[in-house]
Amino acid sequence: MTNLVILVGRIARDPEARTTQGGTSITSMSVVTDRPARKDGKTYKDENGYTAKESEFHRVTCFNGLGQNVAKYCTKGQLVTVEGRIHYTSWDDKDGVKRYGCEIIADKVDFLSKGRSSANEGAPDIDED
């Protein structure tokens, strides 16, 4: 059995890092992916003549060293590849209503573009052809 996710998209907002009481580093980010929009099973053009797109936002969680690197070097708008697994959770909210969530637990994040300037000083090089 396999639970494998591969996303290629842009970071929707700057990653948020925190540390648990036990010392685990956790970084959360949202990655947006686009795909062609469809009407009646066919792609169509928007008002500017471009193929219309539908965006999906994916919650991504990174732990420890990976999370620290993502928090240090990644910024909003940066193009990344995320490899990981889907993780589902459920909980009861303060009113006792059952809630459900879905996130990607990242095993690997590759930087496909550089983020904003100062955040990327010392970042690993990107192979640009």
Side-chain angles (χ1 to χ4, degrees), residues 35-55:
R35 59 185 164 82
R38 295 184 175 272
K39 282 186 184 172
D40 300 322
K42 297 179 183 178
T43 61
Y44 62 96
K45 305 283 185 188
D46 64 15
E47 61 276 356
N48 297 317
Y50 296 104
T51 300
K53 304 274 188 203
E54 290 182 352
S55 298

Side-chain angles (χ1 to χ4, degrees), residues 14-80:
D14 288 339
E16 298 176 9
R18 65 186 190 282
T19 303
T20 66
Q21 291 179 348
T24 301
S25 174
I26 302 172
T27 300
S28 300
M29 66 177 169
S30 181
V31 174
V32 61
T33 57
D34 295 325
R35 59 185 164 82
R38 295 184 175 272
K39 282 186 184 172
D40 300 322
K42 297 179 183 178
T43 61
Y44 62 96
K45 305 283 185 188
D46 64 15
E47 61 276 356
N48 297 317
Y50 296 104
T51 300
K53 304 274 188 203
E54 290 182 352
S55 298
E56 293 182 316
F57 291 80
H58 311 275
R59 291 182 351 184
V60 177
T61 302
C62 308
F63 290 97
N64 299 315
L66 176 61
Q68 291 168 358
N69 283 333
V70 165
K72 185 174 182 179
Y73 298 119
C74 290
T75 57
K76 177 181 177 179
Q78 189 170 356
L79 186 63
V80 295

Side-chain angles (χ1 to χ4, degrees), residues 83-95:
E83 293 182 28
R85 63 184 171 86
I86 298 174
H87 177 72
Y88 295 97
T89 56
S90 64
W91 67 95
D92 294 327
D93 70 9
K94 63 180 180 181
D95 299 322

